[in-house]
Amino acid sequence: MSGRQSLQFFEHLRQTGRLAAVKAGDAGYLVQDPEGASPGSASQKRLWEVIDLPASDLADEAASFFEHERVTLQELLQVEPLAESFSSRFLRDTLMFPYQTADGRAALAVADPTDRAAQRAAEIVLRRDIMITVASVEDLSVVLDRRLGEDSAEPADATGQLVPREDDIESLRDLASGAPVVRAVNDLLEKAVELRASDIHIEPFQTGLVVRMRVDGLLRPVTAPAGVLPQALISRIKIVANLNIAERRLPQDGAARLRIGRTDIDVRVAIMPMQHGESAVVRILPKDRNLLVVDRLGFSSADEVKLRRLLKLPHGMIVVTGPTGSGKTTTLATVLSILNEPGRKILTVEDPVEYDIPGVNQAQVKPAIGLTFAAALRSFVRQDPDVIMVGEIRDNETAHVAIHAALTGHLVLTTLHTESAPAAVPRLLDLGVEGYLLRSTLRAVVAQRLVRQLCERCKTPKALVDADIAEDPRLGELGFRAGEVLQSPCGCERCGGTGYRGRLGVFELLEMTDEIRSLIGEKTDGHKIDQAAIRAGMTTMIADGIAKCRAGLTSPAELLRVTTAR
């Protein structure tokens, strides 16, 4: 629906004394920005959902205002329908009825004359110009029930699930390849690159399509493409990622390499069927080699020295831990870039391959054909590698194969989902790794989180006062005191008003010592390992984050958002 046309229609109702026709609570639609309408605005609601008039009166007003012919139920029941080229679901969702007039012209009876996207889709399906007529919501519902019949219903499979018709698929493919839809997807990708977004979330709801982009770890709403059918937008994304546009009942994953403006990017696409349509998440991976630089990760100078020393070890296992989205893959890719020398053979098995590193042999798991992490690892040890990277240890089998690869003279790098570095030890034991093997192979554990970095252009110094400490006692627990001056977010054009631009890691690096090895057994206590590591000089993530706050790199609020004291 065109937001501008809707607002003009609302204004017409007001001028004719029928402003009360706009539902209570929805009067705010009159002042929405038609060019940047947000979810829940008039541009994402149907006229009959917003205007509380009798269906017949609403159709009369719309036909008069938009200068279209008004048709009645009796007239629609007598015309020749052109519904065979459409899916019944599409016609019912859009409340449109295509038919042929007495003089042979193609016509489309609609309840909402401002829904140009649906009308354009009908033109593409019918492959000719169509005349728009207006009917009431009630009349269209009746005529669709009576005239569609069994022949135009979508077929179902043995489970009763609807199966898209072949002609519907072809029509959708044509629509998805049209200039408006292609332009809409390109605009979204360009916007994401401009904002440095890591993901685009395209989500269908009953009120319309919602688009959000993850910038510096947090989702930010953006304007959804106007005048584009959600099904066409999702189909275009499927085409780009080489997915099956006819499959709308099962999740799909795909990938593509694109050039957006002057930027080369890799995209990973995940499609998931939802209640109101298919949802798409597009992960964006810029081909920027400067990302894989240790200095950009945020390691303290002491931890960086430790890490570089550990990477010189000929064999053993180094584990990177943290929740999903904490930057583990980027850290491992950066470590591989350090190890990537002509004298070393490096093999990786990942799901998916996010960074393409020249000189490194990278494989992607394909469970459907039996290529799992464990299966790939077994083959890797026969490929004469020096370094093996396992994207993630998820099960007992992968853990055992990785441990034995480390025992047989390979340097093994991997990731694990744990809250802290010391927690990796009991987690590996829980996966079935024997304590004596872990004592022999584990060399270090790196735990990390990502915090947003303060915008260098607008961050401002601010002295803490007693009220700040009283409002959030955790500040006092972290060691901050009233009178201490810290940098705080302000907001400017460069950072989009958030006060933050970019992210950096907060880390803790646990290096195995004799004391820590002695604590590894059947009843390993993660808390005791934590205390032993701190005595041995480990800087916890909280301590690393506090140092970054005092250095003006991030804020206490951001640190508390991603970490917890222990």
Side-chain angles (χ1 to χ4, degrees):
M1 178 191 293
S2 165
R4 186 177 299 280
Q5 286 185 318
S6 300
L7 298 183
Q8 290 170 346
F9 187 45
F10 289 155
E11 183 64 24
H12 162 72
L13 292 176
R14 184 170 64 161
Q15 291 176 357
T16 56
R18 308 194 72 166
L19 179 60
V22 179
K23 287 183 180 177
D26 285 335
Y29 291 117
L30 291 171
V31 295
Q32 288 288 347
D33 176 9
E35 297 301 328
S38 58
S41 69
S43 70
Q44 301 219 3
K45 278 185 176 285
R46 298 172 177 179
L47 284 178
W48 58 88
E49 293 174 336
V50 178
I51 301 174
D52 194 14
L53 276 176
S56 179
D57 290 356
L58 175 57
D60 292 341
E61 291 284 351
S64 174
F65 180 78
F66 294 107
E67 299 180 347
H68 293 311
E69 181 183 339
R70 172 76 161 90
V71 290
T72 64
L73 174 61
Q74 290 72 23
E75 292 171 325
L76 291 176
L77 290 175
Q78 294 172 4
V79 297
E80 179 183 348
L82 298 175
E84 66 277 359
S85 297
F86 297 83
S87 72
S88 60
R89 183 178 179 180
F90 173 76
L91 294 178
R92 294 182 193 278
D93 286 347
T94 56
L95 266 184
M96 301 190 312
F97 179 67
Y99 63 95
Q100 186 166 293
T101 63
D103 58 2
R105 297 173 62 189
L108 188 70
V110 301
D112 183 358
T114 68
D115 192 352
R116 287 295 304 151
Q119 294 166 25
R120 174 60 180 152
E123 288 179 347
I124 291 175
V125 172
L126 294 175
R127 292 182 172 86
R128 51 176 164 162
D129 293 335
I130 56 177
M131 177 179 71
I132 303 298
T133 60
V134 177
S136 71
V137 175
E138 294 174 351
D139 290 350
L140 282 169
S141 298
V142 172
V143 76
L144 288 173
D145 287 339
R146 293 190 186 181
R147 300 300 298 270
L148 286 180
E150 294 298 326
D151 292 340
S152 61
E154 293 181 5
D157 61 13
T159 65
Q161 294 281 355
L162 291 180
V163 179
R165 293 172 12 146
E166 191 64 32
D167 54 358
D168 182 35
I169 294 167
E170 290 305 315
S171 300
L172 198 56
R173 190 188 304 275
D174 291 342
L175 184 59
S177 301
V181 179
V182 172
R183 189 181 307 113
V185 172
N186 288 343
D187 288 346
L188 283 178
L189 291 169
E190 287 177 6
K191 181 72 172 178
V193 171
E194 176 188 340
L195 293 176
R196 300 170 298 102
S198 59
D199 302 88
I200 305 173
H201 292 245
I202 303 171
E203 303 158 321
F205 293 98
Q206 189 172 6
T207 54
L209 202 65
V210 173
V211 179
R212 297 185 290 173
M213 295 186 181
R214 191 175 294 279
V215 181
D216 295 334
L218 295 181
L219 287 171
R220 182 185 301 181
V222 298
T223 303
V228 175
L229 280 176
Q231 303 97 312
L233 193 71
I234 297 296
S235 294
R236 178 61 192 171
I237 292 171
K238 287 182 179 180
I239 290 171
V240 169
N242 296 311
L243 298 178
N244 180 8
I245 70 168
E247 180 55 74
R248 306 175 193 172
R249 299 164 298 168
L250 296 173
Q252 295 188 72
D253 295 318
R257 179 165 296 178
L258 307 171
R259 184 170 183 84
I260 304 299
R262 297 182 178 180
T263 305
D264 291 323
I265 63 171
D266 281 344
V267 296
R268 300 284 184 270
V269 175
I271 305 292
M272 172 65 71
M274 297 294 182
Q275 182 180 3
H276 299 292
E278 290 179 295
S279 171
V281 176
V282 182
R283 169 153 291 190
I284 298 172
L285 304 166
K287 310 300 291 181
D288 185 355
R289 295 297 161 216
N290 291 329
L291 287 173
L292 306 182
V293 178
V294 176
D295 296 344
R296 288 196 170 195
L297 294 178
F299 278 102
S300 66
S301 55
D303 282 347
E304 185 178 338
V305 169
K306 285 183 185 178
L307 180 64
R308 290 185 180 275
R309 176 165 47 80
L310 288 165
L311 294 178
K312 293 179 181 178
L313 294 173
H315 51 79
M317 176 183 283
I318 298 175
V319 179
V320 180
T321 75
T324 301
S326 60
K328 302 186 298 296
T329 302
T330 300
T331 298
L332 278 184
T334 304
V335 166
L336 289 179
S337 69
I338 297 173
L339 294 171
N340 189 14
E341 299 175 352
R344 280 196 189 97
K345 179 163 184 176
I346 302 174
L347 299 177
T348 78
V349 54
E350 306 168 61
D351 184 22
V353 176
E354 293 192 8
Y355 292 96
D356 185 8
I357 308 173
V360 174
N361 297 276
Q362 297 173 270
Q364 180 165 324
V365 299
K366 298 176 183 176
I369 60 173
L371 182 57
T372 62
F373 281 116
L377 272 174
R378 289 193 184 91
S379 297
F380 276 7
V381 295
R382 296 191 290 272
Q383 294 285 318
D384 189 29
D386 298 295
V387 179
I388 297 173
M389 192 270 270
V390 185
E392 182 183 347
I393 290 182
R394 300 174 179 172
D395 51 47
N396 175 288
E397 187 180 15
T398 307
H400 272 89
V401 178
I403 287 288
H404 283 89
L407 276 173
T408 53
H410 306 95
L411 181 61
V412 177
L413 309 173
T414 188
T415 72
L416 202 61
H417 284 260
T418 64
E419 183 179 349
S420 63
V425 175
R427 174 59 179 150
L428 287 168
L429 292 170
D430 183 56
L431 285 170
V433 178
E434 292 83 355
Y436 70 93
L437 290 178
L438 201 56
R439 287 193 293 270
S440 302
T441 56
L442 188 61
R443 297 291 179 261
V445 181
V446 179
Q448 68 179 79
R449 300 289 189 279
L450 290 177
V451 295
R452 291 181 295 169
Q453 191 166 355
L454 287 168
C455 176
E456 291 293 336
R457 182 175 296 178
C458 68
K459 64 181 180 181
T460 55
K462 179 185 176 182
L464 292 175
V465 296
D466 290 330
D468 296 327
I469 307 296
E471 182 179 349
D472 192 345
R474 294 178 300 172
L475 294 174
E477 295 172 5
L478 293 180
F480 296 112
R481 296 291 179 262
E484 186 172 358
V485 178
L486 299 173
Q487 297 291 336
S488 62
C490 182
C492 65
E493 183 180 350
R494 181 171 182 265
C495 62
T498 63
Y500 299 92
R501 183 177 171 85
R503 289 190 291 177
L504 75 160
V506 288
F507 299 91
E508 61 186 27
L509 198 163
L510 183 155
E511 188 175 5
M512 299 299 290
T513 63
D514 290 339
E515 181 184 3
I516 294 174
R517 288 191 182 92
S518 68
L519 295 173
I520 299 177
E522 291 184 4
K523 298 182 180 180
T524 298
D525 187 335
H527 180 62
K528 289 182 178 179
I529 292 178
D530 192 14
Q531 292 176 324
I534 292 173
R535 286 195 298 272
M538 181 185 78
T539 301
T540 65
M541 276 188 289
I542 279 286
D544 187 40
I546 292 170
K548 287 179 168 67
C549 289
R550 288 182 168 140
L553 298 176
T554 191
S555 66
E558 183 64 12
L559 176 62
L560 290 169
R561 183 180 68 85
V562 300
T563 62
T564 55
R566 65 177 195 269

